Amino acid sequence: MGKVNEIPASPMDFLLFPIWVHKKLSVKVKGLIFAFLFVGVFDMFFYQNLYKEGFFEGNPGSLIFKIFLFVILSLLVGAIDVICTMVPISEMAIMIGKRSEKYVSARVPVILMKSYAVSHLLFVIPTAFFVYSGVDWNLVDVTSTTQVRLIFSILIIVLNFMPLFQLGVMYRTISIRTRIQIFGRLILIMTTYFWMRFSGATVMFFVTLFQDMLLK
């Protein structure tokens, strides 16, 4: 599905990804497997420090089995995350398109699910540093070194702002791949913000459950 509104290049291309990335999000359903797997691996791998939890310990046979189980569980939790989060938003986008007489493809759920998966790329570096740096950030206080407190402050600010940029990525996808006008897009993004907070709790339930299965 092509689009639509031509958006000029801007400095935000660095954070919200260039226009060509959004245009490359295909409507092919089979591509969702990679989206599910990527989001699931993100959810599972960054939930806690797997190295400290002993995930990589054991003989080669045991490790291979755990990695295989990790991939399967990641695919499951990724599917739950992506579908539960974006399908309702996609249906709302189609509804807004119909009401405003602005064409929205019936395949937009596939595009938005892939956009949601791509938006997780923003979190990889800061989250990896937060989880796997070896620093117990819960123990950072006024007695910690200046460097640690500075890094901690920057990290918290970045992680708190990342969800807003994630919404920005999805807003840009909607802008490029649909004809929904600004007011409709804003409604969608505001709804997405609150819905993600709700669906996130459900996703974390399954992540916790699968982590227990993986590490027992």
Side-chain angles (χ1 to χ4, degrees):
M1 180 180 71
K3 159 91 180 180
V4 166
N5 301 323
E6 291 299 330
I7 299 177
S10 75
M12 295 306 290
D13 286 353
F14 177 73
L15 287 173
L16 306 184
F17 301 110
I19 296 171
W20 66 265
V21 172
H22 299 271
K23 288 185 175 181
K24 283 287 186 179
L25 297 175
S26 73
V27 297
K28 295 180 179 178
V29 176
K30 63 181 181 181
L32 287 175
I33 299 298
F34 299 101
F36 294 160
L37 184 59
F38 173 67
V39 173
V41 168
F42 179 92
D43 290 341
M44 294 286 287
F45 191 70
F46 293 130
Y47 176 72
Q48 60 183 331
N49 190 322
L50 294 180
Y51 180 79
K52 284 186 176 180
E53 295 298 322
F55 175 78
F56 297 100
E57 297 176 358
N59 58 61
S62 173
L63 184 58
I64 290 173
F65 174 76
K66 286 193 289 186
I67 292 175
F68 174 77
L69 183 60
F70 175 84
V71 171
I72 297 300
L73 294 177
S74 294
L75 185 60
L76 286 175
V77 78
I80 293 169
D81 190 346
V82 174
I83 293 172
C84 290
T85 303
M86 293 314 299
V87 168
I89 300 301
S90 301
E91 293 300 322
M92 185 176 180
I94 293 173
M95 182 190 72
I96 290 175
K98 288 181 178 178
R99 285 181 174 272
S100 60
E101 298 183 349
K102 300 296 181 181
Y103 174 73
V104 176
S105 170
R107 289 294 186 94
V108 78
V110 177
I111 294 172
L112 291 184
M113 283 191 280
K114 290 180 179 179
S115 176
Y116 176 69
V118 168
S119 71
H120 281 68
L121 289 170
L122 296 173
F123 293 87
V124 171
I125 294 177
T127 306
F129 187 77
F130 186 82
V131 176
Y132 288 96
S133 64
V135 178
D136 189 344
W137 302 107
N138 292 320
L139 299 180
V140 175
D141 56 22
V142 293
T143 63
S144 302
T145 64
T146 302
Q147 292 88 341
V148 170
R149 284 187 282 123
L150 178 61
I151 293 173
F152 177 70
S153 299
I154 294 173
L155 199 54
I156 292 301
I157 291 172
V158 169
L159 289 173
N160 283 331
F161 272 95
M162 282 296 99
L164 299 180
F165 288 114
Q166 182 181 36
L167 290 172
V169 171
M170 290 183 281
Y171 179 88
R172 196 167 223 209
T173 299
I174 294 169
S175 300
I176 294 171
R177 301 302 297 271
T178 77
R179 291 189 174 90
I180 296 175
Q181 298 301 303
I182 293 178
F183 181 70
R185 292 179 224 156
L186 291 175
I187 291 176
L188 275 174
I189 290 303
M190 289 178 63
T191 304
T192 302
Y193 173 78
F194 290 106
W195 178 249
M196 284 174 63
R197 296 173 71 88
F198 174 77
S199 64
T202 302
V203 172
M204 283 300 103
F205 168 79
F206 285 101
V207 170
T208 303
L209 177 65
F210 292 163
Q211 287 268 331
D212 290 341
M213 294 172 58
L214 194 64
L215 298 172
K216 68 178 182 179

